[in-house]
Amino acid sequence: MGALSNIGPTAVAVWASAVVLFALIAVLRAVFKLNFSLLTVLALGLGIALSLVFDGQVDSLNLLGNIYINLITALVAPLIFVSIISSITYVGSLKKLRSIGLRSVGWLLLTNLIVDDESTAGFLTSQTAPLDQVILNFFPKNIVGDLSGNRVVPIIITATVLAIAIVSVGRQKDVSIVKRFFEQTKDVI
């Protein structure tokens, strides 16, 4: 039984109030041109106020919240993919990319050394796969499967390799259409 299976007067009032608050936020955005961060904080405050007014009986809105979470989650992997490609192709120089990449790996290794201490070593050892399996899992077998499974490391590796290929081809041919495609896709997402 879902949250909407027992629709009563309180649930109807909660939904009506939520619709009015959404409309209010839309009007404030249009009239005052408020930025996204301010609108987010305002929406959070209005959501808390709605819960207080209805004494916490806002479970019927869980469906709406879960739909929102699903939509956001669905966009994470594609956004990572196109953002990495867009960023690397924007830099454009393989020499600069190598420098940035080496510094990034250095910082990653440094943070892992700082976090790795004896108190977590036993737990981490019991939770890890063999090193060769871990390394193998970094590399994608199927990018569509990795995108649909939100497997971030294979997505990053694939996007990086593709972006480097675009930059390399860009030395000899015009790849502005491809670069523009990824930049505009990032903007849309």
Side-chain angles (χ1 to χ4, degrees), residues 84-100:
I84 289 172
I85 293 172
S86 175
S87 298
I88 290 174
T89 57
Y90 178 79
V91 170
S93 164
L94 292 177
K95 190 174 184 177
K96 287 181 191 174
L97 288 174
R98 188 172 330 145
S99 172
I100 292 169

Side-chain angles (χ1 to χ4, degrees), residues 6-17 53-60:
N6 296 325
I7 296 179
T10 303
V12 171
V14 166
W15 274 87
S17 299
V53 166
F54 286 98
D55 196 26
Q57 297 180 3
V58 291
D59 289 345
S60 63

